[in-house]
Amino acid sequence: MADSTDIFVIGGGPAGLAAAIAARQQGFSVMVADGNRPPIDKACGEALMPDAIGAFQRLGLSVPPTEASLLTGVRFLGSGLSAEAAFPSVCGLSIRRTTLHRIMAERAEALGAELHWQTAVRGICGQNVLIGNRTIRSRWIIGADGVSSRVRRWVNLQAHSYGRLRYAFRRHYSVRPWTDRMEIHWGQHHQAYTCPVSKEEVCIAIASWEPKVRMDEALQDFPQLAAKLRGAEITSAERGAVVGNRKLKRIWRDNVALIGDASGTVDPITGEGLGIAFHQAMVLADCLKKNDLVSYQSGQRKLALRPRMMARLMLLLDGRPGLQKRTLQAFRKRPQIFRRLLALHVGALSPVDVAFDGLRLGLRLLAA
């Protein structure tokens, strides 16, 4: 390990690896340290939305077709009804988090980033990173160490605002996928998300306001989904996480910048978490090249604005069966509204482009 580097990334998950890749593309020398052993797993829905695919490719990343499943659109289900829409142009991808991590680590290493696994960072002091019994001098330090970021605490960037938190759980089942859509099931008390991750495996995620609920109990809220999984082999341990919209007042101080969940979160109902991190990485690398972290702050806020807005809109349906039913009925009667809202969701249209559709949807809901 060298004694100095241009950029030291604390945290080697997808956000940290994306930051390392983008920084190497700008010509910086980069070190990454993470206390875990790869491949690193995490509770997540494992879907990359179409706008995330564009950023993924600009980072020079690609997934072999045999290691991912195409997602052609989104399907809403609830109150005995369903409505669906295709993505406007580019398909999304569903990929196991461990596979994604391996691909990203290989790309970062091929570009010349130094990756140090099972290596805990003890602290930072100015331009110094304390790692084991060594001190590494770094011009820039990037905190990519997740929701409970220690880097954020070390540089006093804890001040944040957030809405009500939810609890999410994820598990995999050995069952042939029944759709190439990402499904969002609306129940009385929870939401379920499904997506295929291979020809023989499906990822199921559950989100709830109830901290004590677990997968098997929550699936009782979705009898049709539970029937599809009945008798299927469980192929992964149940993993959980606290989720929600969290916005930090600042995401940088001096020579330290935060990225990924360390810099704030968007409720996973949007499926946009990884996409935001990939876009953030390129914005951050460009700002570091220009020695301008002020622009990074404003750039990150723009990136998160649309996903946070969409999360708030979608969560209006939570726990409201009557509103869920009326919304699905409206989408079925006017499928073009759902298609355009989905295009807004993945960044293919602006809010202005669909403002009239939103007004029409609101009037139909009021009249139902």
Side-chain angles (χ1 to χ4, degrees), residues 35-299:
N36 293 301
R37 179 179 180 179
I40 297 173
D41 202 358
K42 178 186 175 182
C44 65
E46 300 186 321
L48 297 179
M49 304 298 274
D51 52 337
I53 299 299
F56 191 72
Q57 293 171 341
R58 288 194 293 277
L59 290 169
L61 293 158
S62 61
V63 181
T66 56
E67 298 194 83
S69 294
L70 285 178
L71 294 175
T72 63
V74 172
R75 177 181 294 150
F76 279 7
L77 302 99
S79 302
L81 300 171
S82 68
E84 59 186 281
F87 292 128
S89 54
V90 178
C91 289
L93 280 179
S94 183
I95 178 172
R96 283 292 299 263
R97 175 57 72 96
T98 48
T99 302
L100 176 68
H101 190 267
R102 172 179 55 78
I103 290 170
M104 295 189 70
E106 289 173 352
R107 170 68 174 159
E109 193 166 28
L111 288 174
E114 290 188 36
L115 308 182
H116 301 279
W117 304 110
Q118 296 182 289
T119 304
V121 174
R122 296 188 292 110
I124 58 178
C125 182
Q127 292 189 324
N128 295 321
V129 180
L130 311 178
I131 181 169
N133 58 359
R134 303 187 60 184
T135 298
I136 307 299
R137 188 166 182 80
S138 181
R139 180 183 176 191
W140 303 103
I141 299 169
I142 298 176
D145 52 341
V147 172
S148 302
S149 171
R150 292 180 301 153
V151 176
R152 190 172 64 223
R153 186 170 67 250
W154 290 338
V155 293
N156 193 27
L157 291 173
Q158 289 288 81
H160 61 267
S161 61
Y162 55 84
R164 188 179 172 192
L165 296 177
R166 298 204 296 162
Y167 305 86
F169 306 89
R170 184 213 66 189
R171 199 158 64 184
H172 297 89
Y173 293 81
S174 179
V175 61
R176 185 176 293 274
W178 53 87
T179 180
D180 59 5
R181 304 290 210 222
M182 177 181 176
E183 290 187 337
I184 301 177
H185 297 252
W186 298 93
Q188 290 280 347
H189 308 289
H190 322 290
Q191 290 86 50
Y193 314 86
T194 78
C195 56
V197 290
S198 76
K199 292 181 179 179
E200 300 293 338
E201 193 172 34
V202 172
C203 173
I204 307 293
I206 301 285
S208 174
W209 301 111
E210 302 174 18
K212 295 183 180 180
V213 74
R214 293 297 180 267
M215 184 73 69
D216 291 333
E217 177 187 353
L219 279 173
Q220 297 175 21
D221 207 17
F222 311 98
Q224 289 184 329
L225 177 58
K228 293 180 183 296
L229 301 175
R230 190 169 295 120
E233 178 188 358
I234 296 171
T235 56
S236 70
E238 183 175 332
R239 287 180 171 271
V242 177
V243 299
N245 289 322
R246 174 184 290 180
K247 180 179 178 181
L248 270 66
K249 293 182 178 179
R250 289 190 60 177
I251 60 169
W252 69 277
R253 176 164 283 123
D254 301 325
N255 66 323
V256 179
L258 305 176
I259 192 171
D261 287 347
S263 67
T265 58
V266 174
D267 193 281
I269 195 171
T270 65
E272 294 281 7
L274 284 171
I276 292 173
F278 296 159
H279 285 288
Q280 268 187 298
M282 291 182 289
V283 172
L284 176 55
D286 186 59
C287 289
L288 294 180
K289 193 76 172 180
K290 297 174 182 176
N291 195 29
D292 180 18
L293 284 179
V294 173
S295 294
Y296 174 57
Q297 175 87 43
S298 60

